[in-house]
Amino acid sequence: MSDIYSFVEGTTDQVVFDVLKKALQKTHNLTFEGQIVNVKGKNNFRSKILDTLKPEFDPGEPEHYVRTLAFRDLDADEERQDVVASFESLARKLLARWQLEPQFSPLTSWTNILAIDQAPTEDRPGLRFVLHIADPPHLEELNLKNITTDCYVLAVALREPVLGRFAQQAGSQSDTLHTLITREVPQTIMDREIAFDEDKDFLAAYLCAARFWSVKRTEEKERLLNIVLDRALEHGPNDFWSIFASWKVAIEEAVR
Amino acid sequence: MIERLIAHRFRGIRKGVMEDCAKFNVLVGPNNSGKTAVLEMLYLAAVSGREGGLVLEDGSRFEARAPLRHDFLGYRPLPRLWARHGQSSNWEKSPGGVTEEGALWYQLKDLPEAHPLREFRIAPPLGEAGYEIEGFDQEDVQSIALFTLEQPRALPAEMAPDWLSAEMQPEDVRLAYLWYPDFVFRGQSDQQTPLDHLAIWALEGVDQQASIQIDPARVMFFDFHVTHAHFHRRFWEFAYDAVPDWYERLAQAMGRVFPDMDEGRVEINPVPNDREAALMAGDVRLPGRRRIRIDNFGDGARHAFKVLTGLIALAETVDDEHPGLFLWEDPELFMHPSTLGRMLDEVVRLVQEHPIQMFVSTQSLETIAHLTYQASKHKGSTKDLRAFRMKLKEGKLILATFKYGNLISWLQDGMDPRFWGVSDTLLSYRMGGSQ
């Protein structure tokens, strides 16, 4: 069984990763050990990964792979190649003792998944570093300015198997909730010249329309995410695995 | 200060380099990962301060040192290690003897005839007029199986493994040789070259002028055997004379570690019925109560009392010219976590304020976390902390080096630096007031 150091940007990624890890173990027989590290913001990836991983290369265990997985969002003002370059520089720093300059290569079928494979030798550890940059399914009806893991969850949440159950609990219909979440609530708010263009805004509208606070008696976003993902896995697994296909591939690539 | 250890065939370690040591060093890792062996190598090399000369068959002579007859706590260095590994504390079948001139001679028959260390002598130092030379005697034959060479330039090439020669800086090294067979690594395809019959290791310092600097007489190795033993009178006599207010300081420290001993007094008295009058024991007097021997307390109190007794004495007798080395095996032994924390506070304070380098082996996450938290509290101390996660792979010492930033990051994220491989083990600890 592989050990993997996993780094995520925030709470949503952490919840998604945990759900995926359990689901992969249960339905795909893919098991791995490893505690996930929430770096709490994209600007902390570098310091957190260096602080966590440097001991493994100082000097670390020869003939042994250090496996690393990072899930990174892509904000509106960012270019993918810049994100890749910053992670490459980080990998170089990890391997600086041996003056190696590893480079990320995109996977053939997934351009948002990039990997470094610096094989171990008898004198030093190797590094297998998989970088997943968020590239969720396009949500046509929403005009989102950023690309984050919340988009993936929103995509799952707006599919009928999940939305239908929330509608039922709220005493409404899926179509009604869908319209509320994607058009009416955003429009009402934007009419007052309040910005409504992030995936998080739409998740908040989702919470509101589904009467989540009243029905579940909690306002915790993690709780909503877990329920959305669990319902999707139970009632619409094909949708779930289709939307999170690149996450699954990234994890498989790190474990490999 | 010791900055680097290069090891060749000492006990379970076939080969290994530990580098970037700091003032506070924590050794962690699974059982049989080499932690104790590292402490023992540091101890034996550092305590070797008895001057002499290594004289080879061809007459060449190198400045050498043998272990002191007694270490800081009054133990005979090699015999105490032999005893803790269940062996006789006298090497009856030592392959050596003593000459009329007081030199030790050795014949290592496992080495080829032509090898420089096949036959050698450890001679007393060359004295100047009026300088009294202390020769070796029969007791030394049975308790010395080790010499060290200080900055060994022009050493015959056959006297150091190639890889070790390539690693070490001869101008800044103390090189130790040990020929006690049970302390020499034995592996599956081992002992193919003459030097494989010896344990050889090098300590390097950060100060190029004075090598590793540690004063051999200021080396304190504290393990659980010391917890369960009485003090040697030799140690007591030295410390009683040298340390002002020794008992008062000890009483105050014990009061801070064990609040119910606050306002108690301590003293150290001869052990009754000790025919040789060589042993001393600690006594505690609590207000309104009769004197209680420390060995009648629980093991945790005994541990704290004895380690603080020694460390207070060590701290008060070191200076920049005579820096000390404190080696501590399993500080957590017998200790409740809260008591452990308070004892570590005392220890860190004593080490922090004095020229003492500390190496601790531990299995305790509380010890790691507490030392990390202590480093965060003392300005400028974060650079003084290292943790080395260790393991042995076919005898090769594998290390992962944690600096303060690594440790704090791991601990705050609930990760366990003791484990090789990422662990899902759930942890429950608190990083003091840092969160």
Side-chain angles (χ1 to χ4, degrees):
Chain A
M1 188 159 52
S2 299
D3 298 329
I4 300 179
Y5 290 98
S6 306
F7 300 90
V8 296
E9 194 167 325
T11 309
T12 305
D13 316 67
Q14 192 162 358
V15 171
V16 169
F17 187 87
D18 281 340
V19 170
L20 274 170
K21 185 180 173 185
K22 286 180 193 138
L24 283 169
Q25 187 170 357
K26 192 174 172 186
T27 61
H28 292 73
N29 202 25
L30 181 71
T31 55
F32 57 95
E33 285 258 354
Q35 197 160 8
I36 189 165
V37 176
N38 179 353
V39 304
K40 296 175 184 162
K42 65 176 182 179
N43 295 330
N44 299 328
F45 266 110
R46 185 180 175 82
S47 61
K48 201 69 190 173
I49 292 177
L50 282 175
D51 279 343
T52 306
L53 291 186
K54 199 74 175 93
E56 300 292 2
F57 297 95
D58 196 11
E61 182 179 356
E63 301 179 272
H64 169 81
Y65 261 116
V66 177
R67 296 171 188 277
T68 307
L69 184 54
F71 289 93
R72 172 70 155 76
D73 292 343
L74 192 65
D75 286 348
D77 57 346
E78 291 182 315
E79 295 293 334
R80 186 182 287 179
Q81 63 264 32
D82 296 334
V83 173
V84 174
S86 74
F87 275 83
E88 250 166 22
S89 137
L90 195 164
R92 277 200 295 276
K93 183 122 181 162
L94 287 173
L95 295 165
R97 174 187 280 256
W98 299 281
Q99 289 148 9
L100 296 168
E101 300 210 341
Q103 290 188 316
F104 278 105
S105 303
L107 300 196
T108 313
S109 49
W110 297 91
T111 53
N112 67 316
I113 304 173
L114 302 103
I116 281 173
D117 193 343
Q118 189 78 51
T121 69
E122 61 181 19
D123 299 318
R124 59 159 178 79
L127 173 65
R128 178 143 192 84
F129 196 147
V130 176
L131 171 63
H132 178 278
I133 299 175
D135 187 14
H138 183 58
L139 298 170
E140 283 181 12
E141 62 270 51
L142 315 182
N143 186 22
L144 296 172
K145 73 168 188 182
N146 58 344
I147 303 172
T148 77
T149 305
D150 283 328
C151 294
Y152 288 89
V153 179
L154 204 51
V156 167
L158 289 172
R159 299 285 172 98
E160 174 56 27
V162 177
L163 190 60
R165 270 151 188 85
F166 276 112
Q168 199 176 4
Q169 282 185 317
S172 180
Q173 304 295 318
S174 304
D175 291 347
T176 309
L177 286 198
H178 196 280
T179 307
L180 262 175
I181 295 163
T182 60
R183 290 212 298 272
E184 291 176 357
V185 171
Q187 196 57 55
T188 305
I189 291 174
M190 285 189 292
D191 285 347
R192 272 72 178 171
E193 295 184 346
I194 297 171
F196 199 102
D197 53 6
E198 291 195 18
D199 42 18
K200 289 176 183 52
D201 298 329
F202 286 91
L203 275 178
Y206 199 106
L207 272 165
C208 175
R211 297 187 70 233
F212 194 74
W213 295 340
S214 309
V215 174
K216 295 293 175 188
R217 302 197 183 282
T218 175
E219 56 190 47
E220 284 177 14
K221 184 181 168 191
E222 289 102 305
R223 184 87 182 105
L224 171 75
L225 299 176
N226 270 306
I227 289 175
V228 165
L229 297 172
D230 287 348
R231 282 185 178 170
L233 267 170
E234 190 179 348
H235 302 293
N238 290 340
D239 282 346
F240 178 89
W241 288 114
S242 160
I243 288 167
F244 285 105
S246 71
W247 284 64
K248 174 172 169 281
V249 170
I251 293 171
E252 286 171 337
E253 196 64 22
V255 172
R256 182 169 69 81
Chain B
M1 192 166 79
I2 298 163
E3 199 267 341
R4 197 160 180 246
L5 165 70
I6 310 166
H8 164 86
R9 303 185 83 87
F10 183 85
R11 294 192 52 225
I13 300 175
R14 180 174 55 83
K15 180 180 184 181
V17 180
M18 187 170 91
E19 54 194 2
D20 197 24
C21 302
K23 185 175 174 74
F24 292 91
N25 304 278
V26 185
L27 312 180
V28 297
N31 295 116
N32 302 314
S33 61
K35 301 185 295 296
T36 301
V38 165
L39 291 182
E40 290 174 345
M41 277 188 280
L42 295 169
Y43 170 66
L44 289 174
V47 82
S48 292
R50 202 166 160 194
E51 292 185 9
L54 170 70
V55 182
L56 304 180
E57 270 288 277
D58 64 4
S60 56
R61 182 181 174 112
F62 299 87
E63 186 189 332
R65 291 175 186 175
L68 297 178
R69 278 214 164 118
H70 298 95
D71 69 11
F72 181 76
L73 291 174
Y75 290 89
R76 294 190 302 154
L78 268 163
R80 76 175 278 195
L81 297 193
W82 293 335
R84 63 170 266 152
H85 290 291
Q87 298 177 20
S88 166
S89 56
N90 285 316
W91 192 10
E92 305 286 352
K93 294 181 179 175
S94 168
V98 62
T99 67
E100 286 182 5
E101 297 78 31
L104 294 171
W105 62 263
Y106 291 97
Q107 193 173 52
L108 306 184
K109 290 185 177 170
D110 287 332
L111 271 61
E113 297 267 352
H115 195 275
L117 290 175
R118 164 87 177 189
E119 291 183 23
F120 63 89
R121 284 182 295 137
I122 304 175
L126 295 173
E128 296 170 8
Y131 183 77
E132 189 179 343
I133 300 170
E134 187 190 19
F136 295 93
D137 59 25
Q138 191 58 38
E139 188 185 330
D140 293 321
V141 175
Q142 294 188 352
S143 62
I144 290 179
L146 164 85
F147 65 78
T148 64
L149 301 174
E150 206 73 20
Q151 302 171 358
R153 295 181 185 85
L155 204 62
E158 310 96 290
M159 279 186 60
D162 292 343
W163 77 269
L164 195 145
S165 298
E167 283 280 351
M168 71 178 185
Q169 308 290 326
E171 70 276 8
D172 190 28
V173 77
R174 180 176 294 176
L175 196 55
Y177 287 80
L178 180 142
W179 54 91
Y180 184 72
D182 285 353
F183 276 19
V184 179
F185 176 85
R186 291 178 195 167
Q188 53 275 44
S189 56
D190 62 330
Q191 300 187 333
Q192 294 176 337
T193 71
L195 291 177
D196 290 347
H197 296 278
L198 300 171
I200 304 172
W201 65 101
L203 302 188
E204 283 182 8
V206 288
D207 185 342
Q208 299 246 336
Q209 299 300 312
S211 187
I212 65 165
Q213 272 201 323
I214 303 290
D215 181 343
R218 304 287 180 270
V219 178
M220 177 170 140
F221 184 11
F222 198 96
D223 59 11
F224 82 95
H225 296 272
V226 181
T227 296
H228 285 149
H230 294 303
F231 295 115
H232 287 279
R233 188 176 191 95
R234 177 184 304 276
F235 159 70
W236 175 81
E237 283 175 346
F238 164 77
Y240 190 77
D241 284 343
V243 183
D245 304 325
W246 186 27
Y247 292 171
E248 288 75 11
R249 289 182 197 200
L250 179 56
Q252 288 162 10
M254 285 297 286
R256 288 189 288 268
V257 177
F258 299 95
D260 54 353
M261 287 192 197
D262 195 24
E263 298 185 9
R265 287 186 294 142
V266 304
E267 53 196 40
I268 298 173
N269 295 305
V271 172
N273 306 319
D274 173 26
R275 288 183 185 172
E276 295 177 10
L279 300 175
M280 306 290 288
D283 291 314
V284 176
R285 287 179 187 273
L286 299 174
R289 295 181 62 181
R290 293 168 58 190
R291 186 179 74 174
I292 308 170
R293 179 126 295 175
I294 190 64
D295 297 294
N296 291 332
F297 282 81
D299 286 326
R302 295 171 77 190
H303 184 186
F305 184 95
K306 291 178 184 180
V307 80
L308 290 171
T309 301
L311 190 59
I312 289 169
L314 182 69
E316 287 304 314
T317 53
V318 293
D319 56 38
D320 289 340
E321 298 296 311
H322 305 90
L325 179 64
F326 175 37
L327 307 165
W328 194 8
E329 193 173 43
D330 300 330
E332 66 275 16
L333 212 59
F334 315 122
M335 305 303 290
H336 183 275
S338 62
T339 322
L340 172 66
R342 292 193 292 271
M343 180 171 69
L344 287 170
D345 286 345
E346 291 297 311
V347 167
V348 168
R349 187 176 55 75
L350 286 163
V351 173
Q352 192 76 50
E353 293 171 355
H354 297 88
I356 298 173
Q357 188 177 16
M358 180 168 113
F359 287 81
V360 175
S361 71
T362 183
Q363 305 287 8
S364 149
L365 195 62
E366 280 112 348
T367 299
I368 302 167
H370 203 85
L371 290 172
T372 306
Y373 176 56
Q374 281 289 339
S376 72
K377 283 204 314 190
H378 292 95
K379 194 177 178 187
S381 295
T382 54
K383 66 178 185 347
D384 291 335
L385 179 65
R386 294 286 181 283
F388 297 94
R389 185 177 61 200
M390 304 167 60
K391 80 171 174 183
L392 287 171
K393 199 171 177 180
E394 294 168 359
K396 188 172 181 189
L397 181 62
I398 310 286
L399 291 145
T401 310
F402 290 74
K403 295 182 179 175
Y404 170 79
N406 309 122
L407 283 170
I408 204 89
S409 181
W410 275 61
L411 295 169
Q412 286 180 342
D413 286 328
M415 297 171 72
D416 192 333
R418 296 172 302 177
F419 287 84
W420 283 91
V422 191
S423 170
D424 278 340
T425 309
L426 289 173
L427 302 176
S428 175
Y429 57 80
R430 189 161 50 110
M431 287 296 295
S434 64
Q435 293 201 344

